[in-house]
Amino acid sequence: MLTALEQGVRGGRWYTLMDKVAALPTLRTAFARVKANRGAAGVDHVTVVMYERHLDANLTALSTSLSDGTYRPHAIRRHWIPKGPRERRPLGIPTVRDRVVQTAVRLVMEPIFEADFAEHSYGFRPRRSAKDALRRVVTLLRAGYVHVVDADLQTYFDSIPHAPLRVRVQAKVSDGRVLGLLDAFLQQPIFEGLTQWTPEDGTQQGAVISPLLANLYLDPLDHAMAAAGYEMVRYADDFVVLCRTAEDAAQALAIVRRWTEAAGLRLHPQKTRLVDMQQPGGFDFLGYHFDRGYRWPRQKSLQKVKDTLRAQTRRQHGHSLAVIIDDVNRILRGWYGYFKHSHVSALRELDAWVRMRLRSVLRKRRGGHGRGAGFDHHRWPRRFFTAHGLISLTTAHALDRQSFVR
């Protein structure tokens, strides 16, 4: 398959792929990835641990059913996760067995489409990350691309039309059994509570195959923008187009509007806009807010980490201060790993907020009430928490900058 990818296949289309999907080595690799992701059980209540107890037998039976055409995916369990203060995002959870098959299909199909994906597409692709996309945005802003199309595709994953998506897949894949598998995945029934229905459009967020299909459907837009000379940066359904002039940005947005309408997609009427980075306001992208040469965590990102930290710093928390600080440090380290490129003011404010939460815990233990404030700053100053091992985002940022300068 690697040789064929390098030299090309007859007619540019792949006619025999199911043997690679059903091969036991492929399924073993797929299960290892499913296990590493540690997802929840699906409608059959079988966990990853339970599936692994009889792994050889399970994978052998799966390989046989794929080869003889008797495999049928189970229904998807729908779960809602918070997206913001008032919004929720639907997450589809396939069974472990179906996640293994979807991963195997993705392992086989991804290299075929990867070869032609656009350079400025970063989401859910091998050896690419959100940080790569952010670095590209920063580079373009510094180069003078200060007029930005801030685009938002409304309910993208749930609204991808199935018929044109199939056409995109069939441009390179002609194996009828693999195409039948993809159809089965797109038409999996969805269970939510006691309700069940079959989706007519979309690919489920949470399904292993969905990121590849989502990238594939937007690939023509990627190439259309590149051919028109526009600098686009896309991560899955989140993308911006950076231009040198306001006129170019307006023209780029017009192209995006025409393409999405023809593709059966919708731009969010309130969230899609033109941004002049020389004026106050800025735009959000991949968790960051960009504004007039600076960047910091967007409000939703700050709210999310604060909600996580609140659970570890409740005033009624029964653990010792050392245990609480260990839990807080673990959260802060993970968060800082992504947001360390923020302006230091945002990190300083979060540091102060964390110390306030810890002072409130200590105040409660002394019989006090309310938030840590006033004299509490003198009773438990910053050096008190430093001595007890609390990490400082501000200090970490300063050390990182010194290292970068050196």
Side-chain angles (χ1 to χ4, degrees):
M1 187 174 180
L2 290 172
T3 302
L5 283 168
E6 293 174 358
Q7 299 178 359
V9 292
R10 179 166 48 88
R13 300 171 73 179
W14 292 75
Y15 289 85
T16 308
L17 291 176
M18 181 57 85
D19 60 321
K20 302 168 183 62
V21 173
L24 279 173
T26 307
L27 295 176
R28 288 190 184 281
T29 302
F31 175 77
R33 295 196 179 186
V34 170
K35 180 181 177 181
N37 288 332
R38 298 181 297 180
V43 295
D44 61 356
H45 307 292
V46 175
T47 65
V48 172
V49 172
M50 294 165 63
Y51 194 88
E52 190 176 21
R53 286 177 189 156
H54 307 284
L55 184 61
D56 288 344
N58 284 332
L59 294 185
T60 299
L62 199 52
S63 176
T64 301
S65 66
L66 287 167
S67 298
D68 63 22
T70 59
Y71 168 82
R72 298 291 184 275
H74 294 131
I76 286 178
R77 178 168 67 87
R78 173 159 283 192
H79 176 67
W80 291 86
I81 58 175
K83 185 180 178 182
R86 299 179 183 85
E87 296 180 84
R88 295 191 304 162
R89 172 181 293 149
L91 187 68
I93 304 176
T95 61
V96 174
R97 181 197 71 148
D98 292 342
R99 296 207 295 273
V100 171
V101 176
Q102 288 193 20
T103 304
V105 172
R106 181 172 176 175
L107 284 169
V108 172
M109 285 182 51
E110 191 169 60
I112 296 171
F113 293 105
E114 263 292 322
D116 296 320
F117 277 166
E119 183 67 24
H120 61 250
S121 168
Y122 294 89
F124 307 110
R125 295 183 60 190
R127 297 174 297 280
R128 288 167 173 258
S129 68
K131 288 187 177 181
D132 294 325
L134 290 166
R135 277 191 283 269
R136 181 59 180 162
V137 169
V138 170
T139 298
L140 290 169
L141 289 172
R142 289 175 177 170
Y145 292 80
V146 294
H147 294 274
V148 180
V149 179
D150 182 13
D152 186 279
L153 289 171
Q154 196 167 14
T155 59
Y156 171 61
F157 280 83
D158 286 341
S159 60
I160 300 175
H162 288 173
L165 175 60
R166 289 189 189 97
V167 172
R168 303 249 202 283
V169 176
Q170 290 168 0
K172 289 194 173 184
V173 175
S174 293
D175 187 321
R177 291 186 296 171
V178 171
L179 293 173
L181 265 184
L182 291 175
D183 280 341
F185 291 143
L186 291 173
Q187 296 167 7
Q188 281 177 271
I190 297 174
F191 267 115
E192 183 176 0
L194 299 177
T195 306
Q196 176 183 335
W197 76 95
T198 300
E200 297 180 359
D201 295 306
T203 177
Q204 291 296 308
Q205 292 189 69
V208 180
I209 198 69
S210 291
L212 175 60
L213 297 178
N215 274 333
L216 178 60
Y217 197 69
L218 287 179
D219 188 55
L221 173 62
D222 292 340
H223 288 287
M225 298 304 289
Y230 293 111
E231 294 288 354
M232 181 177 178
V233 181
R234 183 173 69 80
Y235 192 94
D237 59 332
D238 195 0
F239 67 90
V240 289
V241 185
L242 296 98
C243 306
R244 290 190 180 276
T245 68
E247 292 75 18
D248 284 346
Q251 291 172 8
L253 178 55
I255 293 175
V256 171
R257 287 192 189 281
R258 286 195 298 270
W259 189 92
T260 52
E261 188 173 327
L265 303 175
R266 299 181 300 275
L267 288 173
H268 197 292
Q270 281 78 45
K271 296 181 180 179
T272 300
R273 60 203 181 96
L274 297 175
V275 178
D276 182 352
M277 293 300 289
Q278 301 164 107
Q279 303 296 324
F283 65 95
D284 294 338
F285 187 61
L286 298 181
Y288 275 90
H289 181 75
F290 293 82
D291 198 345
R292 289 169 292 173
Y294 296 102
R295 52 182 158 154
W296 54 82
R298 68 173 187 165
Q299 195 58 42
K300 284 185 178 180
S301 302
L302 278 173
Q303 190 61 47
K304 185 175 180 180
V305 73
K306 285 184 175 181
D307 289 343
T308 304
L309 288 165
R310 279 192 186 93
Q312 302 298 329
T313 56
R314 295 189 300 271
R315 293 172 210 170
Q316 297 83 6
H317 209 305
H319 292 153
S320 67
L321 182 63
V323 170
I324 295 174
I325 286 178
D326 280 346
D327 290 338
V328 168
N329 283 347
R330 174 177 47 80
I331 296 166
L332 290 178
R333 286 192 187 98
W335 186 86
Y336 179 73
Y338 187 79
F339 288 103
K340 62 184 177 182
H341 302 291
S342 300
H343 190 270
V344 68
S345 61
L347 305 178
R348 190 181 298 122
E349 289 175 12
L350 185 55
D351 275 339
W353 184 87
V354 169
R355 290 193 298 270
M356 178 275 294
R357 294 288 301 179
L358 294 174
R359 289 187 185 107
S360 300
V361 172
L362 296 172
R363 181 188 182 101
K364 175 72 174 178
R365 292 180 180 181
R366 290 175 64 97
H369 301 282
R371 298 170 58 175
F375 186 73
D376 293 337
H377 287 268
H378 301 285
R379 180 181 289 126
W380 301 296
R382 184 182 308 173
R383 63 178 178 272
F384 169 86
F385 294 109
T386 302
H388 281 75
L390 179 66
I391 65 173
S392 165
L393 302 177
T394 309
T395 301
H397 183 267
L399 293 173
D400 280 341
R401 286 190 63 82
Q402 289 175 12
S403 176
F404 177 76
V405 169
R406 285 197 297 270

